[in-house]
Amino acid sequence: MTADLGHNVAPPIQTSPGYWTSVGARLVRDPIALLVGAVILALVAMALFGSWLAPSDPYATSMFKRLQAIGTPGYPLGSDELGRDMLSRLILGARLSLFMGITPVLLAFVIGSAIGIVAGYAGGLTNTLIMRTVDVFYAFPSVLLAIALSGAMGAGIDNALLSLTLVFVPQIARVAESVTTQVRNRDYIEAARASGASAFTIIRTQVLGNVLGPIFVFATGLISVSMILASGLSFLGLGVRPPEPEWGLMLNTLRTAIYTQPWVAALPGLMIFITSISFNILADRLRAAMAIRS
Amino acid sequence: MGAYVVRRLLLAIPIMLGVALVCFMLVHLAPGDPLVSVLPPDASQELRAQMIAAYGFDKPLPVQFFHWLWHAVQGDLGTSIATSRPVFTEVMTAAINSLRLAALATLIGFFFGCLFGFVAGYFQDTWVDKLASAFSVFGVSVPHYWLGMLLVIVFASQLYWLPATGGGPMGAEGWAWDWDHLQFMVLPAITLSVIPTGIIARTVRALVADTLGQEFIVGLRAKGMTDYAIFWHVVKNAAPTALAVMGLQLGYLMGGSILVETVFAWPGTGLLLNSAIFQRDLPLLQGTIWVLALFFVLLNLGVDILQTLLDPRIKRA
């Protein structure tokens, strides 16, 4: 966006690549970013096409094939406490686990950005009122707030999503407010205001393009936390309900099996860890590619 | 300085009121009748009305809120529905257990975080630095409840070195600082310490790298000062921030240990919250969350003020 503005002032003879193109080019040349990107793509593929990829029915129980070891014929990654195929459940589990982890961040990105940009652009009393309210929610450690809210509202996917969204909105709103405050007094905003543009038009055409980048990078960093928290809620029995395959819930129901099949029981946690660390590293590389210093 | 402290204290009051309001609203967020776990399903309408009046549910919400807050600040958080004991006693017993665990984890995290951070900062871009950075990423990305399970699998179910769960030997009351009790704390404390280790290592590395790049260090070197003496200058520059981060981590661990406490059946606030949620014991849920959140706010406040006192460079308006 900033590069585009430059174009209007003095059109160069050779078109220089836009900001996002250069960020993309830097990411493509980054081997670590490519690796974790590939892992995330594979996880997304598992989430989308899990039903075709899974070798057997993830819901089919078998009383005689309970807690099989890894490598048992027919059960490449063993079976769980009800005799269901672990490999199929781990693949199918990607759908709910990713959905539960990413949706709250997406929702909070939209809501938090809106709140923060309005607070930052308006300033004054509006800013004080909004930001002091945000501070109250910020005063809770995020794990505590998530568990308190979904604990009070009761178990279920929608309540877990709602409480995780509520945890991330204040965090994103704070970042959005601080970057908006930084740009609101720039000359080009002043110029737009002087030429009679309404507040809504200025936010849409001038502010958004300059603040969404940093907010987006911050939000990407939250996906890792969100994955751990969302699966954590299911692990406590507050999120997804049985018999749906979800990694946190699978980890919970397999806890009793740590003496009989410890490594089978640990597998769902490994999936959460791989997802969370991949998103964490990707957010790190993205931040480096965008040259944003925290 | 005095003015800053007073201003900071005054600013904390609306936050604490807001926190209390959120905790109060938790009960009203809960679906269904708040009396459902107190009253038998076949209770008469009269008894119902009596109970509603006794709990004050017939009054307007703002009145209920200030009534609750007035009692809460005096340590009266109501009675637990499940155990019929005062919520305050239940929470305090559990909070001390949680604090003990969180404090040990924070200390472990501070020690290793500083160690990794200093080494990484001194040997920037070497393999030691890369290893320390990798550990930081691991620390903040690993689901700690899963790490706890892994430790139980390795050290309790495979090697039989340490007990898997519990908060002390069978039948023992209270706590003692001997190995019989301490062995129960080892695995949960290590599990919890991974997060502060990662975060403190990251902070200290940045501080050390920043300090070493400054001109006064070059000046000290040119003056002929030994590496050992320069090290103390680096420590003095990094200490206030590192200590502040450590203080905040203690708060996060107190509030965030619920999952790990559940894995290890550690008798702290996490386990208390867990049972409050599943027994629909709303007064207990509300009281525990209020105490933990208040602890977090006060800790933040204390850390902020201490940091200003410790670090003369911080001049706050």
Side-chain angles (χ1 to χ4, degrees), chain A residues 135-136 139-141 143-144 147-149 151-153 228 231-232 235-238 251 255 258-259 262-263 265-266 269-270 272-273 276-277 280-281, chain B residues 15 18-19 26 29-31 137-138 140-143 145-146 149-150 152-153 157-158 164 255 258-259 262-263 273 277-278 280 289 292-293 296-297:
Chain A
D135 282 349
V136 168
F140 291 87
V143 186
L144 185 68
I147 290 169
L149 290 171
M153 290 188 291
I228 297 180
S231 292
F235 179 72
L236 283 178
L238 284 174
L251 201 58
R255 248 169 70 198
I258 58 170
Y259 291 96
W263 307 118
L270 183 67
I272 306 172
F273 175 54
S276 141
I277 201 167
N280 215 336
I281 295 174
Chain B
I15 299 281
V19 165
L26 275 181
L29 209 71
V137 178
F138 171 82
V140 291
S141 311
V142 69
Y145 40 95
W146 176 62
M149 260 177 80
L150 283 185
V152 168
I153 289 173
S157 92
Q158 303 289 311
I258 166 162
L259 289 154
T262 309
V263 170
L273 268 181
I277 287 169
F278 290 101
R280 301 288 318 145
I289 294 195
L292 285 176
F296 191 62
V297 173

Side-chain angles (χ1 to χ4, degrees), chain B residues 100-285:
Chain B
R100 198 180 287 129
L101 179 62
L104 183 66
T106 314
L107 282 180
I108 299 175
F110 184 67
F111 177 77
F112 285 105
C114 285
L115 186 73
F116 294 159
F118 267 104
V119 172
Y122 258 93
F123 303 101
Q124 278 164 61
D125 299 320
T126 61
W127 66 270
V128 192
D129 183 17
K130 295 216 171 79
L131 197 71
S133 309
F135 188 83
S136 298
V137 178
F138 171 82
V140 291
S141 311
V142 69
H144 38 280
Y145 40 95
W146 176 62
L147 182 68
M149 260 177 80
L150 283 185
L151 290 178
V152 168
I153 289 173
V154 174
F155 294 101
S157 92
Q158 303 289 311
L159 295 170
Y160 302 104
W161 286 358
L162 291 161
T165 55
M170 285 284 258
E173 287 280 325
W175 178 260
W177 288 101
D178 53 18
W179 178 243
D180 282 347
H181 288 80
L182 267 175
Q183 58 176 349
F184 285 90
M185 223 163 130
V186 176
L187 292 182
I190 291 176
T191 309
L192 276 180
S193 73
V194 171
I195 307 166
T197 305
I199 290 170
I200 292 173
R202 218 178 244 189
T203 317
V204 170
R205 184 200 177 272
L207 287 168
V208 170
D210 183 54
T211 315
L212 283 176
Q214 280 181 21
E215 283 178 355
F216 80 91
I217 295 284
V218 183
L220 291 177
R221 282 233 167 83
K223 221 174 71 173
M225 198 177 247
T226 60
D227 280 345
Y228 179 73
I230 289 176
F231 176 73
W232 277 112
H233 280 275
V234 177
V235 170
K236 259 164 62 186
N237 273 277
T241 315
L243 284 172
V245 174
M246 178 181 101
L248 294 186
Q249 283 303 312
L250 178 67
Y252 281 113
L253 290 192
M254 271 296 279
S257 62
I258 166 162
L259 289 154
V260 173
E261 285 187 8
T262 309
V263 170
F264 290 100
W266 180 261
T269 46
L271 209 61
L272 198 65
L273 268 181
N274 201 345
S275 59
I277 287 169
F278 290 101
Q279 295 171 328
R280 301 288 318 145
D281 193 341
L282 291 171
L284 187 60
L285 177 76

Side-chain angles (χ1 to χ4, degrees), chain A residues 1-12 16-22 209-210:
Chain A
M1 280 299 167
T2 36
D4 288 344
L5 269 177
H7 286 207
N8 295 339
V9 178
S16 62
Y19 174 62
W20 289 105
T21 322
S22 65
N210 285 301

